[in-house]
Structures are given as structure tokens and as C-alpha cells.
Amino acid sequence: MTSEKVAQYMADVLEDSRDKVQENLLANGVDLVTYITRFQWDMAKYPIKQSLKNISEIISKQVTQIDNDLKGRASAYNNLKGNLQNLERKNAGSLLTRSLAGIVKKDDFVLDSEYLITMLVVVPKTNYTDWQKTYETLAEMVVPRSSHLLFEDLDSGLFSVTLFRKAIDDFKHKARESKFTVREFQYNEEEMKADKEEMTRLSTDKKKQFGPLVRWLKVNFSEAFIAWIHIKALRVFVESVLRYGLPVNFQAMLLQPNKKTMKKLREVLDDLYKHLDSGAAAIIDSAMDIPGLNLSQQEYYPYVYYKIDCNLLDFKV
């Protein structure tokens, strides 16, 4: 159902403010129960002088348009959000996997040297002492006292160490044997600047799109919900005519029992209206089914019955 999709996506967009979703799910500016209990057919949107088929087509086109617009807007926003999350993940987490660009500085490296290179090594905190005692002997050409602790997380520290380029392979092998992890990293100021600018751009774009997207979701939730209730009213009318014939002589009612009294209410209604049961389920015109609206009749009673569920979210707020 389209209104349910819009409601659920609003919850996704609001993220940490999910508790505010329900207050944004309004129909014509009022809460859903109030709208339903005060329902009046919208003559301007759905002129009753038109045929039932034309009215159903108007509603169908409107709901399909909202559905298609939602797919497009959701796809664009999700791509933006996903790209930003990927960059944020790269800059968070363990020192073994996270980007080191935001941690290291130019002064931490020996740059533009034909013979020397600075390596970055992740050392478990429990192995700090072993590192300090052994790093100079992991290869023959390690520069003495060149190791510095650059950054720490909960489990490990990031150390720099300078050595001759020809000793890189030997150093990596011996470090791995000692449970020290050499991170592959080349200091490139332009790349680091580009990554930082990309994250700023994505974060800014997300903030810019957030407000207009939430407003669109609020407006189109209202439109989709109102269309859905009009379809319910249409279905009640059509099935009542099919069951009880013309001239029209029936009354639609809204009942909102609590769970404890539902069974009792069914018994009372069945007793009151059992004389209306012709013994066969009503014939439902399949042409009245609207794409995106799940309105197929599930249960049969001697009276025309349609359930309206106003809880459109798959989580509790």
C-alpha cells in the first residue's frame, strides 16, 4: 500500500528521530483517526458526477504517480546516504581497516627520499613493549629510534617507523611473524584533501535534501492516505449496491472496538444482520482493484465490512 510505503520511508529518513514519525503522519492536517471519523467525500478531487470507473482511474493515476515519485526520490537520497556512510565507515572502526588519512600528518613521514620510506604499523596494546624492544631488529636497515606512536584506539596503536626501501619486504615478513600489522599507505595530500572535500559535499547535500524530502513525504502521505480512504468508501458503496440492489438504501458506519470486545461485536452484528445474507459472497468487480492498494476482500459477513488499519509502521513508536 502506497501510504504505508511513504510512512515507512519517512521513518527511515528521520533515522534517530523515529519517535517523531507518528506526529508527521497526518491527513488533511489532522491525525488519521480524526480524518476517518470526520470523513467527507472530496467532490473537487473526485467528482461524483463521473462514472465509478473514471473515479477509480483518477485515484489509480494519482497513487501510481506518488509511488513512482517515491521510488525516484528514495533512490536518489539512498545513494547519497549510502555514499556518505561508506566514507564515514572508512574513517571509523579498527586501526586494522579504517582510513588513516585523518590520523596522520605530513610531518610523520620521510617524503621524497630515494632511499628512505616511512611505514605505518598497527601494534596491539599488549605488544607495545615487544614492539619497542624489537622493531629496530625486524630488518637490517631500520633507522634507530625512528618509531613514534601516532594514534591509539581501544585495542591497538599506530606506530610510524623509517627504514631503507630495500628492506621493505623483509620488514613486512618479520613484522607479520611478530603479530605486527603493516598498513599499506602512501601519504598523498591531494587525495586526502579530495576525500575530505567529498565527505563535506555529501554531508552538505544530505542536509539540503533532508528538509524538502520530509516535506514531500508529509504532503504525499496525506494524499495517498486520503486516496486510500476514498477507495474504501467506493468499495463499500459498490459492494452494497451489488448485495442489496437499487435504489440505494444503506448506511456506512465506523466502529472502533477494543480487542476484548471484538468477538462480542461480531456476534451482535451477525445476529442483527443475518437476515441480509443471501448465502453467497458478494461479487467483487476486479476492475475496481487499484494498483498499490491492497483492498481484496478477505472475510465475508452478512453486512459489508472493510478493515481500516491506521498503524502503518512496522515498528512501535
Side-chain angles (χ1 to χ4, degrees), residues 201-212:
R201 184 188 69 79
L202 290 171
S203 181
T204 302
D205 284 354
K206 186 187 173 193
K207 286 175 185 174
K208 279 182 181 176
Q209 289 191 25
F210 176 81

Side-chain angles (χ1 to χ4, degrees), residues 6 19 54 62 75 92 105 136 169 190 192 200 231 236 282 292:
V6 176
D19 56 326
N54 284 353
Q62 181 193 10
S75 176
K105 303 185 296 292
E136 293 179 5
D169 290 340
E190 288 184 5
M192 289 163 64
T200 302
I231 281 290
V236 168

Side-chain angles (χ1 to χ4, degrees), residues 4 42 61 72 76 94 109 138 165 203 225 232 254 288:
E4 196 170 1
D42 191 329
K61 285 177 184 175
S94 165
F109 294 84
L138 292 175
R165 290 181 181 274
S203 181
F225 186 83
K232 290 283 191 183
L254 281 168
M288 293 300 296

Side-chain angles (χ1 to χ4, degrees), residues 255-315:
L255 299 174
Q256 191 181 14
N258 58 46
K259 285 186 179 180
K260 290 181 180 178
T261 59
M262 282 178 78
K263 186 179 178 184
K264 179 65 177 174
L265 177 63
R266 286 283 182 215
E267 291 171 357
V268 171
L269 289 173
D270 284 345
D271 192 50
L272 278 172
Y273 299 113
K274 60 188 175 185
H275 64 284
L276 298 174
D277 190 4
S278 61
I283 301 166
I284 305 299
D285 181 2
S286 61
M288 293 300 296
D289 280 328
I290 304 294
L293 297 177
N294 182 20
L295 295 166
S296 57
Q297 182 80 333
Q298 299 289 323
E299 303 159 280
Y300 177 75
Y301 301 96
Y303 46 89
V304 176
Y305 161 77
Y306 283 102
K307 182 180 178 181
I308 298 175
D309 189 352
C310 290
N311 184 19
L312 302 175
L313 301 170
D314 63 7
F315 65 93

Side-chain angles (χ1 to χ4, degrees), residues 235-246 250 278 281-286 288 304 306:
R235 297 292 302 240
V236 168
F237 177 81
V238 170
E239 188 170 347
S240 297
V241 170
L242 288 170
R243 284 200 194 194
Y244 312 127
L246 294 171
F250 49 80
S278 61
I283 301 166
I284 305 299
D285 181 2
S286 61
M288 293 300 296
V304 176
Y306 283 102

